[in-house]
Amino acid sequence: MMSKTDRRTFLAAGGVAVASFINRDLVFGSEANSRVRLGLIGCGGRGRWIANLFREHGGYTIVAVHDYFSDRAEAGGTQFGVPENRRYTGLLGYRRMLDDGGLDAVAIESPPFFHPEQAATAVEAGVHVFLAKPVAVDVAGCRVIEQAGQKATSRKLAFLVDFQTRACPLYQEAVRRVQGGDIGTIVSAEAVYYCGPTWVAPADLDVKNPENLLRAWGAFRVLSGDIITEQNIHALDVATWFLDAAPERAYGVGGRKGKTGPGDCWDHFSVIFTFPNDVILTFASKQYGAGYDDIGCRIFGTDGTADTHYFGTVSIQGKKPFPGGATGNLYTDGAKTNIATFFEAITKGDFSNPTVAPSVRSNLTTILGRMAAYQKAEVTWDQMLATNERWDFDMTGLKQ
């Protein structure tokens, strides 16, 4: 976490220098079966939840934790038996954790605004990176992640972005069949993310205190990327995966009508994306009310339809049907699979890091839709990239 000036300088450079580096040959040379020494960055509910999955895997030992807030760092440290001197706090605590060494990898579960800096710093420090989605909140951050992923490969480091759907065999098979022509020529598609309130900040929240914004980060677009980036990316990631392309342009609308209380994130988006070959993707989301929830994606072809639901089933209907099946507890099972894949990449030396590029693509797709909706105008992919959009969070007064 940095000041406005520091962050802008960091993003422009695409990385930072870190004082100490871990010798990978000493860590995983002849000791390929050793436990991976993991540091946790972000000790909120999601962070401690996924850290427990790392522990249950059996191949990891959690040796350090970091969170801006001392109560969360203490809670994480106590839960995972981390020594008190390896419980780091403050804006730059994650850097001190890396500088102190003794880490093979980090799991980054902090607010998305900080992902680019933290991931790139970890790669510079010579450790493997397991990163929560979304990878960034702005265009400049996505570019930093893209560069960090490439640098990780060149330095023989694993870098995995944790999308659960991509780890699901049913989704993988459906995508393989669609890209193999089983539904004929793709004509159009739709993606939806419908749910009730997810991030609700306390009604009496003092928004002038930046620490309060950090605790309620999901309600504020600068820290989360707004709901289309922080939440809806699950649906749009599946769509770009099926179509194996980035959209060429988008037109969108949306607003904040169903949400109340502090925060500036919208509660609904409607966006029309145009992909290559004039394939139209209609996207809609809402994050208010009750009565209907779905994270879905349908791909419509001349010979069939692929129908997928995060909390439901995956199938293909048409001339070449695929019965598929129920996804089960994809939220947990997908994370477990990614944790296992991350371990195998580290211990077997597979540093191709195939999740980085598609994750940057889907992240930028959400930003394109967000930009078009904010402007209520058509925005092209090239126009979005040309903005090199950077969002700044004023961290004046926060503890270093």
Side-chain angles (χ1 to χ4, degrees), residues 8 30 81 90 93 111 114 126 130 133 202 208 213 226 241 258 269 271 285 301 329 336 347 358 360 365:
R8 193 175 297 277
S30 61
F114 302 107
F130 184 96
K133 61 81 208 159
K208 295 181 180 180
L213 303 190
D226 213 332
W241 184 18
F269 281 85
V271 183
S285 73
N329 187 358
K336 287 181 176 180
T347 56
V360 169
T365 298

Side-chain angles (χ1 to χ4, degrees), residues 121-317:
T121 303
V123 170
E124 290 288 346
V127 302
H128 308 284
V129 174
F130 184 96
L131 181 62
K133 61 81 208 159
V135 299
V137 299
D138 52 25
V139 175
C142 286
R143 284 176 163 156
V144 169
I145 293 296
E146 182 178 41
Q147 294 164 8
Q150 293 169 352
K151 184 171 288 188
T153 295
S154 68
R155 292 189 172 186
K156 298 182 179 180
L157 297 171
F159 193 126
L160 186 145
V161 182
D162 180 30
F163 278 103
Q164 296 85 53
T165 46
R166 288 179 175 269
C168 176
L170 290 171
Y171 274 90
Q172 293 168 354
E173 180 62 15
V175 169
R176 186 191 69 79
R177 289 171 180 248
V178 167
Q179 293 180 352
D182 280 19
I183 66 170
T185 301
I186 297 173
V187 178
S188 62
E190 68 176 12
V192 300
Y193 193 116
Y194 299 130
C195 68
T198 300
W199 291 100
V200 181
D204 59 350
L205 186 76
D206 178 9
V207 297
K208 295 181 180 180
N209 184 341
E211 287 195 345
N212 292 338
L213 303 190
L214 285 179
R215 286 197 183 273
W217 62 267
F220 298 93
R221 61 175 67 167
V222 68
L223 293 171
S224 68
D226 213 332
I227 66 168
I228 192 172
T229 298
E230 207 282 315
Q231 297 279 307
N232 307 162
I233 191 171
H234 282 293
L236 289 170
D237 181 69
V238 173
T240 57
W241 184 18
F242 268 113
L243 299 177
D244 194 24
E248 296 176 342
R249 58 188 182 275
Y251 173 82
V253 293
R256 179 183 173 95
K257 295 180 65 177
K259 282 187 174 181
T260 59
D264 60 358
C265 287
W266 283 9
D267 55 30
H268 65 287
F269 281 85
S270 293
V271 183
I272 303 295
F273 294 94
T274 301
F275 282 77
N277 300 316
D278 288 326
V279 173
I280 301 300
L281 170 70
T282 60
F283 166 75
S285 73
K286 66 100 178 174
Q287 203 169 73
Y288 61 87
Y292 184 76
D293 291 356
D294 189 23
I295 304 173
C297 180
R298 292 188 176 98
I299 309 296
F300 302 105
T302 54
D303 295 329
T305 299
D307 186 18
T308 70
H309 303 271
Y310 188 103
F311 294 110
T313 60
V314 172
S315 65
I316 294 176
Q317 298 88 41

